[in-house]
């Protein structure tokens, strides 16, 4: 059994995961933890190539099922090459997206079978699971306005992003995630995130 701890940050576009994750990493390092910050898709060299295939806008966009398996290929490689070794070394691993994103985006967003995804996704990550998942929740329009990206997902309809958001909220309720209102000022969000992380690490 690994002795480190995996903490996943989830949320829709523009919810502020990446900056909150960096803030949390700084504080944890100051507290003396060894922290690894990583992200999906793209946490490995292979993953970066998969990320380009997934997010690049092209004439040959993957089908929903092909998209699912590309995300799962990215995860399998990421878990084996980066996450498992870090957990074995006792690190606190902060992951910018993990299981929750696949179920929310490919399951609820793309309308693929959620139960089927859960099974195959568990296989892809060899059962490695976050000790804590933090969901930064924010209304779709607010997030899209903040993010203003131009990849394949940013150009999806508002209805798609709304399904993803509702999917995340449903998963959070079912799985006991920590939900933080991401429309609050950044330092308030940070305070809530750190409270959840400290409570989770205290139980180690
Ligand atoms: P990012 O913008 O947080 O780097 O994530 C890239 C996009 O990939 C984002 O729009 C969410 C999407 N995504 C999925 O659809 N399924 C997944 O399993 C993951 C990890 C990300």
């Amino acid at each position: 059994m690994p002795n480190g701890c995996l903490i996943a940050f989830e949320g829709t576009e523009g919810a502020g995961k990446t900056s909150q994750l960096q803030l949390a990493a700084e504080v944890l390092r100051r507290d003396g933890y060894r922290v690894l910050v990583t992200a999906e898709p793209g946490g490995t060299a292979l993953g970066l190539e998969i990320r380009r295939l997934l997010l690049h806008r092209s004439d040959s966009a993957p089908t929903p099922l092909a998209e699912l398996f590309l995300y799962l290929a990215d995860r399998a490689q990421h878990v084996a090459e980066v996450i498992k070794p870090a957990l074995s070394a006792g690190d606190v691993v902060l992951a910018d997206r993990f299981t929750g994103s696949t179920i929310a985006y490919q399951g609820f967003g793309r309308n693929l079978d959620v139960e089927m995804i859960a099974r195959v996704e568990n296989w892809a990550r060899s059962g490695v699971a976050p000790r804590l998942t933090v969901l930064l929740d924010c209304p779709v329009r607010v997030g899209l306005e903040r993010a203003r990206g131009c990849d394949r997902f940013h150009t999806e309809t508002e209805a798609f992003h709304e399904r993803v958001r509702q999917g995340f909220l449903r998963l959070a309720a079912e799985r006991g995630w920590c939900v933080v209102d991401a429309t609050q000022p950044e330092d308030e969000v940070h305070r809530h995130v750190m409270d959840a992380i400290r409570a989770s690490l205290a139980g180690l």
Side-chain angles (χ1 to χ4, degrees), residues 7-10 17-19 21 38-41 94-98:
I7 298 172
F9 283 62
E10 300 283 9
K17 289 176 290 91
T18 311
S19 39
L21 191 145
T38 189
E40 290 189 2
L94 302 183
D96 191 336
R97 300 195 181 280
F98 202 64

Side-chain angles (χ1 to χ4, degrees), residues 1-201:
M1 271 297 282
N3 359 314
C5 170
L6 173 62
I7 298 172
F9 283 62
E10 300 283 9
T12 46
E13 319 301 316
K17 289 176 290 91
T18 311
S19 39
Q20 285 298 330
L21 191 145
Q22 294 295 347
L23 287 173
E26 278 169 32
V27 173
L28 291 172
R29 284 187 182 122
R30 247 183 278 137
D31 287 355
Y33 289 98
R34 269 187 27 182
V35 180
L36 177 83
V37 170
T38 189
E40 290 189 2
T44 61
L46 175 66
L48 283 172
E49 294 192 36
I50 296 174
R51 181 180 177 93
R52 193 182 50 76
L53 291 174
L54 279 163
L55 299 182
H56 189 70
R57 287 167 67 187
S58 79
D59 295 338
S60 61
T63 66
L65 205 49
E67 179 183 271
L68 168 69
F69 284 108
L70 284 169
Y71 277 110
L72 295 184
D74 173 70
R75 180 148 315 133
Q77 189 75 18
H78 190 210
V79 167
E81 201 179 306
V82 175
I83 296 180
K84 264 192 175 174
L87 292 176
S88 300
D91 292 0
V92 174
V93 179
L94 302 183
D96 191 336
R97 300 195 181 280
F98 202 64
T99 299
S101 282
T102 313
I103 301 181
Y105 281 82
Q106 281 63 57
F108 291 93
R110 300 280 190 228
N111 294 314
L112 294 178
D113 184 329
V114 167
E115 295 304 317
M116 186 69 93
I117 293 179
R119 286 221 299 277
V120 71
E121 192 278 332
N122 183 44
W123 190 30
R125 64 182 155 81
S126 309
V128 170
R131 180 176 183 87
L132 168 71
T133 297
V134 177
L135 173 62
L136 297 179
D137 177 56
C138 101
V140 165
R141 267 202 202 161
V142 175
L144 288 175
E145 194 55 30
R146 278 186 193 167
R148 286 186 182 275
C150 58
D151 64 35
R152 263 193 333 108
F153 283 91
H154 283 88
T155 52
E156 278 295 339
T157 61
E158 206 172 308
F160 170 85
H161 289 289
E162 195 54 51
R163 287 198 300 279
V164 173
R165 182 187 183 202
Q166 295 311 322
F168 271 134
L169 287 169
R170 188 158 147 191
L171 287 170
E174 285 172 3
R175 299 180 177 207
W177 295 352
C178 163
V179 183
V180 179
D181 173 1
T183 61
Q184 300 175 97
E186 196 179 54
D187 55 342
E188 270 298 292
V189 175
H190 176 59
R191 198 171 56 75
H192 288 295
V193 168
M194 287 314 302
D195 285 350
I197 292 179
R198 289 216 165 92
S200 179
L201 292 176

